[in-house]
């Protein structure tokens, strides 16, 4: 019966994924109700802490966007890309990775994609090379961000088991691991595909009146846009927020209110600082509060919160119910072959399209199986597996932004532009992460 119930869980996740992030949340709600009232599983607690973290981070980033901060960051990124156009296959992914690390979400990079494609095309570089890698890099950076829901959930779960494990302990593994994974992906991407003068689809588009005119007239840029001083100031304040969080994480005494008392937990600190700096940015830049909810970051962030609400609650209810029966058999396999848990995380991510939801769903399972915190941190990049099926918004948007037609979904569906960059990045990051975790944790 437990296997049938597990197939039911996967079926609900798959059905929800067909409707996007919001669909995942509400369809998971249907699954949760069936688990409780039909399968008689005791409901667990909803993931309140993670949802509050997402709300706090999204609120601050949305205020930043409303103040023009994202446009300011975009202009800086474009100047960098156009100053070294021949290095676009390296710099494009590096820019999207950095933006995600700073903002805690990969949904803020859509505006840079047309610019990456434009720089590549104007310099005779196959746009697929930097664009596909940049899309993957925008998601790879989530497990390296100090304010992403995935990282903060790991911190809240593992710090209770190992008091010496801090935010810096996790980032000390995930940042270098994912960065080296990015470099491996870039090395692969440098020579992938034929050159533009030999690409049949690009040559066909050049001869097509519509595509040919669009390719020749391509001029995606933000450099002509004059931004107010508030845009720059909002970015500086947001950076100050990130620095403040890291400093407080490094110095526990700052968050210890009484001598000899316990420090305030970092998940609370992150919520507090993100809300506070959102308010500071609002006051300093004097933007209208009504604009905050109109941006892309706010809308995508709210969708992510609802998706995680449903997915995590439904999944946790099942695994808490089933784990006593599964534990013996699975524990033996995982203890003999620890890397198999990375495959499990990867497979779950393919289904639910969210690294935070994957971590929330699978980390408690890994801990229940007796896996060490070091191993679980090492394989954290395996929570990014949704490049496998090319239906994620950033991948679809990248395909649409590439007017050359080189970034695409292949004839056999799975032979798409993101498959190999994703594998190079994730596999390398997990291998490097494993080595770093053994040394550092």
């Amino acid at each position: 019966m437990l296997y049938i119930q597990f197939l039911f869980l996967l079926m609900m996740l798959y059905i929800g994924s067909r409707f996007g992030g919001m669909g995942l949340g509400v369809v998971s709600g249907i699954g949760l109700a069936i688990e409780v009232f039909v399968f008689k599983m005791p409901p667990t607690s909803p993931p309140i802490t993670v949802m509050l973290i997402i709300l706090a981070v999204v609120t601050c980033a949305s205020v930043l966007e409303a103040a023009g901060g994202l446009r300011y960051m975009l202009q800086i990124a474009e100047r960098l890309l156009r100053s070294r156009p021949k290095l676009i296959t390296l710099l494009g992914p590096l820019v999207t990775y950095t933006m995600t690390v700073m903002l805690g979400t990969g949904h803020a990079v859509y505006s840079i994609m047309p610019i990456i494609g434009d720089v590549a095309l104007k310099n005779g570089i196959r746009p697929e090379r930097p664009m596909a890698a940049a899309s993957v890099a925008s998601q790879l950076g989530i497990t390296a961000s100090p304010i992403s829901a995935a990282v903060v959930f790991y911190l809240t779960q593992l710090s209770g088991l190992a008091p010496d494990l801090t935010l810096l302990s996790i980032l000390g593994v995930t940042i270098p691991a994912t960065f080296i994974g990015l470099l491996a992906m870039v090395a692969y991407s440098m020579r992938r595909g034929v050159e533009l003068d030999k690409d049949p689809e690009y040559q066909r588009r050049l001869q097509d009146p519509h595509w040919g005119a669009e390719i020749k007239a391509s001029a995606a840029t933000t450099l002509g846009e004059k931004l107010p001083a508030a845009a720059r100031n909002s970015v500086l304040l947001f950076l100050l927020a990130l620095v403040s969080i890291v400093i407080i994480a490094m110095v526990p005494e700052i968050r210890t209110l009484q001598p000899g008392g316990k420090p305030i937990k970092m998940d609370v600190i992150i919520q507090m600082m993100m809300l506070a700096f959102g308010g500071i940015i609002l006051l300093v830049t004097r933007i209208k509060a009504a604009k905050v909810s109109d941006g892309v970051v706010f809308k995508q962030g709210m969708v992510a919160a609802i998706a995680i609400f449903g997915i995590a609650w439904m999944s946790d209810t099942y695994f808490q119910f089933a784990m006593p029966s599964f534990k013996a058999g699975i524990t033996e396999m995982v203890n003999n072959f620890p890397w198999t848990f990375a495959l499990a995380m990867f497979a779950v991510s393919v289904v639910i399209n969210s690294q935070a939801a994957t971590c929330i769903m699978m980390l408690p399972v890994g801990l229940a199986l007796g896996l060490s915190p070091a191993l679980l941190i090492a394989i954290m990049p395996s929570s990014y597996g949704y490049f496998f099926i090319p239906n994620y918004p950033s991948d679809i948007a990248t395909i649409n932004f590439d007017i050359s037609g080189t970034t695409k979904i292949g004839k056999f569906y799975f032979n798409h532009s993101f498959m190999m960059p994703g594998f190079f990045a994730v596999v390398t990051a997990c291998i490097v992460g494993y080595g770093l975790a053994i040394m550092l944790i």
Side-chain angles (χ1 to χ4, degrees):
M1 190 62 183
L2 288 174
Y3 289 108
I4 294 173
Q5 291 164 346
F6 182 66
L7 291 175
F8 168 77
L9 172 70
L10 294 180
M11 182 184 74
M12 298 308 292
L13 292 172
Y14 176 76
I15 292 172
S17 70
R18 308 304 296 172
F19 294 92
M22 184 74 74
L24 271 169
V26 294
V27 171
S28 294
I30 298 173
L32 175 65
I34 293 173
E35 284 178 343
V36 173
F37 294 108
V38 177
F39 297 137
K40 305 301 181 181
M41 299 180 186
T44 57
S45 300
I48 300 298
T49 298
V50 176
M51 291 173 63
L52 290 176
I53 291 166
I54 293 173
L55 290 175
V57 171
V58 166
T59 299
C60 188
S62 299
V63 175
L64 173 73
E65 182 181 19
L70 290 188
R71 298 296 292 177
Y72 183 79
M73 292 169 63
L74 188 61
Q75 286 189 346
I76 294 175
E78 184 176 353
R79 289 192 186 97
L80 173 65
L81 295 177
R82 294 194 184 278
S83 68
R84 299 286 188 276
K86 296 298 182 183
L87 296 177
I88 188 65
T89 306
L90 169 63
L91 295 180
L94 189 59
V95 162
T96 58
Y97 174 86
T98 302
M99 291 178 69
T100 296
V101 170
M102 289 176 59
L103 297 170
T105 174
H107 289 297
V109 300
Y110 297 113
S111 298
I112 197 70
M113 287 300 182
I115 295 168
I116 294 173
D118 185 63
V119 172
L121 204 53
K122 281 184 168 54
N123 288 273
I125 297 170
R126 182 182 178 86
E128 178 190 37
R129 295 170 182 171
M131 294 184 77
S135 181
V136 170
S138 72
Q139 303 305 313
L140 190 67
I142 287 176
T143 52
S145 172
I147 57 174
S148 73
V151 169
V152 176
F153 181 74
Y154 255 65
L155 178 65
T156 57
Q157 295 294 301
L158 298 180
S159 58
L161 300 175
D164 294 335
L165 199 151
T166 65
L167 179 63
L168 296 183
S169 304
I170 297 173
L171 297 179
V173 173
T174 59
I175 289 179
T178 53
F179 183 75
I180 294 173
L182 181 148
L183 295 180
M185 171 180 65
V186 167
Y188 162 77
S189 300
M190 284 289 186
R191 297 289 180 185
R192 70 175 307 197
V194 298
E195 301 300 330
L196 287 174
D197 59 354
K198 297 176 183 176
D199 187 277
E201 174 60 20
Y202 176 69
Q203 294 302 318
R204 184 192 69 78
R205 290 196 176 196
L206 274 181
Q207 303 306 316
D208 181 271
H210 168 73
W211 285 111
E214 191 165 338
I215 290 170
K216 291 171 185 175
S218 172
T221 184
T222 63
L223 297 182
E225 183 179 355
K226 188 174 182 181
L227 297 174
R232 180 200 61 197
N233 294 339
S234 67
V235 172
L236 294 176
L237 287 169
F238 191 81
L239 290 174
L240 181 60
L242 298 183
V243 171
S244 300
I245 289 171
V246 172
I247 291 174
I248 293 172
M250 291 173 61
V251 187
E253 290 78 12
I254 298 176
R255 49 193 169 94
T256 304
L257 302 183
Q258 298 177 351
K262 288 185 177 181
I264 301 172
K265 291 182 178 181
M266 277 306 299
D267 60 302
V268 176
I269 294 294
I270 291 172
Q271 294 172 48
M272 191 186 308
M273 298 303 291
M274 286 287 99
L275 278 179
F277 273 92
I280 292 170
I281 294 171
L282 189 73
L283 293 174
V284 170
T285 60
R286 296 181 176 275
I287 60 170
K288 292 181 179 179
K291 289 178 60 180
V292 174
S293 60
D294 292 335
V296 173
V297 172
F298 185 85
K299 293 174 182 176
Q300 293 291 342
M302 292 305 103
V303 168
I306 293 169
I308 287 171
F309 182 26
I311 293 168
W313 200 358
M314 178 182 69
S315 303
D316 190 47
T317 295
Y318 170 78
F319 282 113
Q320 290 294 331
F321 178 77
M323 188 51 65
S325 300
F326 282 162
K327 188 172 182 180
I330 298 176
T331 300
E332 183 179 357
M333 180 187 72
V334 171
N335 286 339
N336 291 333
F337 307 101
W339 55 269
T340 57
F341 196 73
L343 294 180
M345 287 187 67
F346 184 89
V348 168
S349 177
V350 170
V351 175
I352 64 177
N353 276 0
S354 169
Q355 292 178 67
T358 300
C359 291
I360 293 168
M361 180 175 170
M362 297 301 291
L363 180 59
V365 177
L367 292 174
L369 294 173
L371 296 178
S372 69
L375 174 65
L376 291 167
I377 292 171
I379 63 174
M380 196 176 176
S382 67
S383 63
Y384 171 42
Y386 44 85
F387 65 83
F388 192 83
I389 298 175
N391 61 357
Y392 197 72
S394 61
D395 295 339
I396 297 299
T398 301
I399 291 170
N400 292 330
F401 284 138
D402 185 2
I403 59 176
S404 72
T406 58
T407 308
K408 59 187 182 296
I409 297 173
K411 186 184 300 183
F412 304 105
Y413 190 65
F414 290 104
N415 59 331
H416 53 78
S417 295
F418 312 98
M419 183 67 83
M420 293 310 296
F423 271 126
F424 270 92
V426 170
V427 172
T428 302
C430 287
I431 293 172
V432 174
Y434 186 70
L436 289 171
I438 290 175
M439 292 187 295
L440 301 177
I441 298 177

